Amino acid sequence: MVLWSKEQDKLPDIDMSSGDIEGTKEGGPLTPVLVNSNCLVPPVMLSKGPEEESLGSGNNLELTEVPNGDAADDVERSEIVAATDCRANAKGQREEDALLENGSQSNESDETSTDQSPEPPPPLKETSFTIGLQVVFPFLLAGFGTVAAGMVLDLVQHWTVFKEVNEVFILVPALLGLKGNLEMTLASRLSTAANIGQMDNAKNMWEMIMGNLALIQVQATVVGFLASIAAVIFGWIPEGHFRLDHAVLLCASSVATAFIASLILGLIMIGVIIAARKVGINPDNVATPIAASLGDLITLSLLAGISTGLYKELDNNYANPLVCAVFVALCPLWVLIARRIPSTRELLYSGWEPVIIAMAISSVGGLILDKTVTHPNFAGIAVFTPVINGVGGNLVAVQASRISTYLHMNGLPMGDPNPTPRKCPTPCATFFGSSVNSRSARVLFLLVAPGHLAFLYTINSLRGGHTMLTAVFVSFYMVAALLQVLILLYLADWMVHWMWGRGMDPDNFSIPYLTALGDLLGTGFLALCFHMRWFIGDKDSSLGN
């Protein structure tokens, strides 16, 4: 504690932040008194150094202790206020003691509040084995779900609505891609929120659930409507004729399928993420594969059933427009709910670009499917299209979700104005690096070959499709599948970091692009396989008829 002489009233403010005590000539010398731990006050004086002859030199004053006794009387220009008993300064002492006590209590309370505040859950320690163990079962479940979807598509391609309204085939990749545009994006967004502790509070969790469900319903309705327009355009350009009743049928079927499928899959995703977090499993590893496993089957079954039912009502001029009007009329309600939740308010305005562009990319894949499956020699492509597209989209969604979570937990602030320059990664850095993301990329890539062999064997055992699994076809198919996933995993590594550096949340932007590119690459490579197989003379056998 420092007690000043009574002349301090004449002094200006003193800056003690740097350890120097400054004074002015008008104020006179300063005479502090230091109180020691025994409550005695040894007098100290301020002596003027030789450099202080002029005021312009900085007026640095030096603290010098004056011994108790007669030596204190020899000091000139200073009046020493010395208290030999702490009771003489009881008021000041009590004030200082109170300040010290409050400071001690403040420090203790800060430590206590720090200890009691909920800390975000630590990142899960994952080795290659744990990553593979958590991913393999959802991956196989998703793969067999795509096999079931392929069997359904192989069956329904012979239905009347698919034969009479060929543009329905263009809708298939676009609507199946909704699981990547909406459900997988939802799963990635909520998985990241769960991993960083934003869903530990029940109120926050339910707000996020309601806002995200409302958001994907709006997006599903709009994307379904736009997908039907794209299907009409892609069907009209090659053929040169347009039928209004078919266009309304496509619109009603697409909007209804997208809305119902997104609602069902969204509820399933939310349940899976909450359950995975409670049992200590990384939601990034299981949520997106389960979305893929159920998404294709549910969406394709709904599309086939709804389009068939509406096709039977084609002569009724009011049924199809009424279906469109009902689902479009519900959009303002979902918009109102999504706007009330802070976590989805921004996405309601900024989350459209990736969804719409991804839908357009998937529609190009649908055009390839339409032109290939309607060829009498390539009818067998239908059963394999959901499988190769689903597996590729599933694996790249897992990787993108994992990289995004890693950046949220360990990376630089999103959109940092002075980020560390990151060059475009090389394939060696993506797949053979020492980071956890490279490790997961290797694990996911190694799942491709055994997974596809198991799925091909299942299709062959069920005698699905119109294609014999010859050695030539299996070789072409495996090369196409491996090349597709290799490209997608590399693009995921580049795209997620690129978006992060530009302030774009990868959870909302990367997965739609990646899964849409997976649909385009998968369908294109598969069509190329059938053309090459036909070119070298490895003919199909009419299986499954």
Side-chain angles (χ1 to χ4, degrees), residues 286-350:
V286 298
T288 51
I290 292 178
S293 66
L294 301 175
D296 288 346
L297 182 60
I298 291 175
T299 303
L300 195 53
S301 301
L302 286 171
L303 176 62
I306 292 174
S307 61
T308 299
L310 294 177
Y311 181 77
K312 294 179 180 179
E313 301 295 328
L314 197 61
D315 294 335
N316 186 345
N317 296 328
Y318 301 101
N320 292 334
L322 182 61
V323 172
C324 291
V326 168
F327 287 106
V328 172
L330 291 174
C331 280
L333 174 62
W334 311 128
V335 171
L336 181 62
I337 296 175
R339 287 185 60 186
R340 295 179 59 186
I341 310 300
S343 60
T344 56
R345 184 182 301 121
E346 181 181 356
L347 294 176
L348 191 62
Y349 301 102
S350 64

Side-chain angles (χ1 to χ4, degrees), residues 87-141:
R87 295 179 180 178
N89 299 296
K91 180 178 179 180
Q93 181 69 36
R94 285 196 301 268
E95 291 176 354
E96 295 292 336
D97 290 344
L99 290 174
L100 292 175
E101 183 178 0
N102 291 337
S104 175
Q105 292 177 355
S106 176
N107 292 336
E108 292 177 359
S109 63
D110 290 342
E111 294 176 358
T112 303
S113 63
T114 302
D115 295 337
Q116 294 178 353
S117 61
E119 297 181 354
L124 300 175
K125 304 293 184 181
E126 293 179 304
T127 62
S128 297
F129 178 76
T130 56
I131 294 173
L133 188 63
Q134 292 184 16
V135 170
V136 64
F137 294 107
F139 168 73
L140 292 176
L141 179 62

Side-chain angles (χ1 to χ4, degrees), residues 17 34 58 68 83 104 135 142 149 164 171-172 230 257 261 288 346 359 376 396 503 530:
S17 61
L34 303 179
N68 292 327
S104 175
V135 170
E164 297 296 328
L171 288 177
V172 171
T257 300
T288 51
E346 181 181 356
M359 180 273 302
V396 75
F530 274 86

Side-chain angles (χ1 to χ4, degrees), residues 57-76:
S57 61
N59 296 328
N60 293 326
L61 301 180
E62 179 182 356
L63 286 175
T64 304
E65 182 176 355
V66 179
N68 292 327
D70 296 337
D73 299 332
D74 297 335
V75 179
E76 296 180 358

Side-chain angles (χ1 to χ4, degrees), residues 142-155:
F144 288 118
T146 59
V147 169
M151 300 292 290
V152 171
L153 181 59
D154 182 61
L155 173 66

